[in-house]
């Protein structure tokens, strides 16, 4: 159900809704995906990233159709609950998994922000964690202060980072060491399985477009603005990712990309432009992570409020003042800070990545079940189910082969959250 927007709260504009989606999508993903992609499939990395964007567009199709039909800001959680009524535990389970996935994402973005922020003068781990917690606190304050204020700051950060990242890509393109055909070799073999696998892994870098739906109660004309915001954000994120990937592959030696991982862009731009290039990439990384923290905190806190309204979280998390779920904002910020203190955030990020793929499959299935009411084309819903299911299977295979301990940790985390969801279902 769409909540009433407070009379004194101006509605979010289309540019702000696009910024919220892009803020959640273009975070630290592009800075880490490049190294993994180049190490696995080399010159074909941009193609895999583009394919990941296409899969994300399939997921977005189902979210848009379900959002316009159900008109509920609870998004993934609410769409499942309304599509399959009577399955309280399953609905609670999805709510717990998705919310914790968002919390883990916020923590990782904050940690990435801190790593770049202190990189020029320190590598102290304690300082890094302090800075990470401080940036979460800052954006929790902004989200509590004002929806419109958050929206305008998000606008500034998101569109600035897009410009910076495209400038960096242009510099890399302009200093290409070879063409793509030259890098592929005279008789290139298409590593189809590797490309599809990296596309599945890359898909997590597109997580965040659904955050727009959580703002349904704070926008006008959702029937127009939701599809415009989501499809525009997915298209822009795909464009930025592919352009940067091509520039990096053309200009930076593969060995350097693999060795530097998330710092590959900074190292490559530094080699070409010197300190200015490095600082430009660092500025883009800081803006990317800040806007991702803000956008995710904004949308996920509203999801937490909706779940609390249904009795699957403590009741105090439902409360809003001037339309803002302040307790939920502070709770999410607090748990994200806790994750930073206990460390090993990359393991927790994998939970969020796998969760996003799994729940996207459920949304595609729900859209298929209700296609007569949502107006979805059956070919699109079936293609979505197939594409997302393939991605989920491939990412699980990839994790089992390359990081079995990490996969075991993720499964244990699912079990712990399932226990919490079961407890609240019984209490309710």
């Amino acid at each position: 159900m769409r909540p009433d927007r407070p009379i004194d709260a101006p509605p979010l504009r289309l540019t702000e809704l696009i910024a919220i989606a892009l803020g959640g999508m273009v975070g630290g993903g592009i800075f880490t995906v490049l190294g993994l992609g180049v190490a696995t499939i080399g010159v074909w990395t941009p193609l895999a990233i583009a394919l990941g964007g296409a899969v994300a567009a399939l997921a977005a199709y189902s979210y848009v159709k379900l959002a316009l039909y159900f008109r509920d800001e609870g998004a993934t959680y609410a769409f499942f609950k309304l599509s399959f009524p009577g399955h309280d535990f399953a609905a609670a389970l999805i709510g717990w998994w998705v919310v914790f996935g968002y919390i883990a994402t916020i923590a990782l973005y904050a940690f990435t922000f801190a790593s770049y922020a202190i990189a020029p003068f320190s590598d102290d781990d304690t300082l890094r964690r302090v800075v990470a917690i401080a940036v979460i606190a800052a954006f929790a304050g902004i989200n509590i202060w004002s929806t419109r204020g958050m929206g305008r700051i998000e606008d500034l950060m998101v569109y600035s980072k897009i410009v910076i990242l495209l400038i960096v890509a242009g510099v890399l393109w302009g200093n290409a060491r070879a063409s793509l055909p030259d890098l592929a070799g005279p008789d290139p073999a298409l590593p189809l399985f590797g490309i599809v696998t990296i596309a599945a892994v890359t898909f997590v870098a597109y997580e965040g477009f659904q955050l727009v739906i959580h703002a349904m109660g704070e926008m006008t004309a959702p029937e127009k603005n939701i599809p415009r915001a989501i499809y525009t954000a997915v298209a822009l994120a795909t464009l930025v990712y592919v352009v940067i990937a091509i520039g990096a592959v053309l200009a930076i030696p593969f060995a350097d990309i693999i060795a530097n991982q998330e710092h590959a862009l900074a190292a490559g731009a530094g080699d070409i432009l010197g300190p200015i290039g490095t600082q430009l990439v660092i500025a883009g990384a800081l803006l990317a992570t800040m806007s991702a923290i803000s956008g995710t905190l904004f949308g996920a806190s509203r999801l937490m409020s909706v779940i609390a309204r249904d009795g699957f979280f403590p009741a105090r998390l439902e409360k809003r003042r001037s339309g803002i779920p302040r307790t939920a904002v502070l709770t999410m910020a607090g748990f994200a800070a806790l994750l930073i203190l206990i460390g090993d955030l990359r393991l927790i990020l994998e939970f969020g990545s796998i969760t996003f793929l799994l729940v996207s499959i459920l949304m595609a299935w729900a859209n298929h079940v209700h296609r007569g009411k949502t107006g979805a084309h059956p070919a699109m819903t079936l293609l979505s189910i197939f594409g997302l299911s393939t991605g989920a299977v491939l990412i699980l295979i990839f994790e089992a082969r390359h990081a079995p301990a990490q996969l075991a940790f993720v499964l244990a985390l699912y079990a712990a959250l399932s226990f919490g969801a079961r407890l609240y279902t019984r209490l309710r």
Side-chain angles (χ1 to χ4, degrees):
M1 182 180 296
R2 181 184 175 189
D4 293 331
R5 178 172 53 83
I7 296 176
D8 60 346
L12 292 169
R13 301 168 299 179
L14 178 61
T15 54
E16 291 160 350
L17 296 173
I18 295 173
I20 289 171
L22 275 176
M25 295 168 71
V26 186
I30 190 59
F31 298 102
T32 55
V33 164
L34 279 174
L36 178 61
V38 170
T40 307
I41 56 175
V43 70
W44 301 102
T45 299
L47 177 59
I49 291 176
L51 183 58
V55 177
L58 292 175
Y61 177 79
S62 295
Y63 272 93
V64 167
K65 291 296 186 180
L66 292 170
L68 298 184
Y69 173 61
F70 287 120
R71 297 296 184 96
D72 195 305
E73 66 171 355
T76 306
Y77 160 77
F79 299 161
F80 180 87
K81 183 187 67 174
L82 295 171
S83 295
F84 308 104
H87 295 80
D88 286 353
F89 173 60
L93 200 61
I94 289 172
W96 276 66
W97 287 356
V98 172
V99 165
F100 195 87
Y102 281 139
I103 290 172
T105 302
I106 292 169
L108 183 78
Y109 287 155
F111 201 86
T112 304
F113 169 89
S115 298
Y116 277 95
I118 70 172
F121 56 86
S122 175
D123 61 354
D124 182 73
D125 186 62
T126 300
L127 177 61
R128 183 181 294 111
R129 295 175 192 274
V130 170
V131 172
I133 293 173
V135 75
I136 292 175
F139 282 101
I142 291 171
N143 272 268
I144 289 174
W145 161 53
S146 165
T147 295
R148 172 51 65 88
M150 182 285 302
R152 289 180 173 174
I153 292 174
E154 189 77 358
D155 281 355
L156 177 63
M157 291 189 298
V158 168
Y159 296 119
S160 296
K161 79 179 176 185
I162 295 298
V163 170
I164 290 173
L165 292 175
L166 289 177
I167 289 174
V168 171
V171 169
L172 294 174
W173 277 54
N175 290 270
R177 58 190 172 89
S179 66
L180 289 176
D182 290 339
L183 292 172
D187 188 22
L190 186 68
L192 185 59
F193 182 79
I195 290 173
V196 176
T197 299
I198 294 300
V201 176
T202 302
F203 177 68
V204 306
Y206 294 94
E207 180 181 3
F209 61 79
Q210 71 275 32
L211 293 170
V212 170
I213 300 171
H214 299 312
M216 184 174 288
E218 293 155 275
M219 69 176 78
T220 57
E223 65 280 353
K224 294 181 179 179
N225 285 329
I226 286 179
R228 288 175 180 174
I230 289 180
Y231 291 139
T232 300
V234 172
L236 286 175
T238 304
L239 175 64
V240 171
Y241 286 168
V242 172
V243 168
I244 289 176
I246 293 175
V249 168
L250 290 176
I252 307 174
F254 288 176
D256 291 346
I257 295 177
I258 296 169
N260 292 310
Q261 292 290 324
E262 66 267 19
H263 297 287
L265 286 179
D271 291 340
I272 296 170
L273 291 179
I276 294 178
T278 301
Q279 291 168 8
L280 195 62
V281 174
I282 289 175
L286 295 181
L287 286 170
T289 49
M290 284 193 297
S291 63
I293 293 167
S294 182
T296 305
L297 194 58
F298 172 86
S301 61
R302 281 146 180 80
L303 173 60
M304 180 177 273
S305 175
V306 170
I307 298 172
R309 177 195 67 195
D310 292 343
F312 297 125
F313 277 139
R316 65 178 66 91
L317 296 175
E318 177 190 359
K319 297 180 180 178
R320 304 192 187 198
R321 182 180 299 178
S322 299
I324 300 172
R326 299 184 177 186
T327 304
V329 170
L330 292 175
T331 299
M332 295 202 73
F335 274 107
L338 178 62
L339 290 179
I340 289 172
L341 290 176
I342 64 177
D344 226 349
L345 299 178
R346 289 187 181 277
L347 294 177
I348 301 173
L349 177 64
E350 286 305 318
F351 165 81
S353 304
I354 296 172
T355 297
F356 185 59
L357 266 171
L358 293 178
V359 298
S360 293
I361 295 170
L362 290 176
M363 294 303 97
W365 173 248
N367 191 28
H368 181 72
V369 170
H370 295 288
R371 61 189 182 279
K373 299 175 181 177
T374 64
H377 195 286
M380 284 295 295
T381 59
L382 292 174
L383 182 61
S384 299
I385 293 170
F386 174 77
L388 292 164
S389 298
T390 301
V393 170
L394 288 175
I395 196 172
L396 289 173
I397 292 174
F398 183 85
E399 287 297 316
R401 287 179 176 177
H402 295 87
Q406 186 166 292
L407 181 58
F409 177 87
V410 169
L411 294 177
L413 191 53
Y414 274 120
L417 293 173
S418 300
F419 174 78
R422 170 62 71 182
L423 178 63
Y424 266 88
T425 301
R426 289 181 175 177
L427 291 174
R428 178 172 178 267

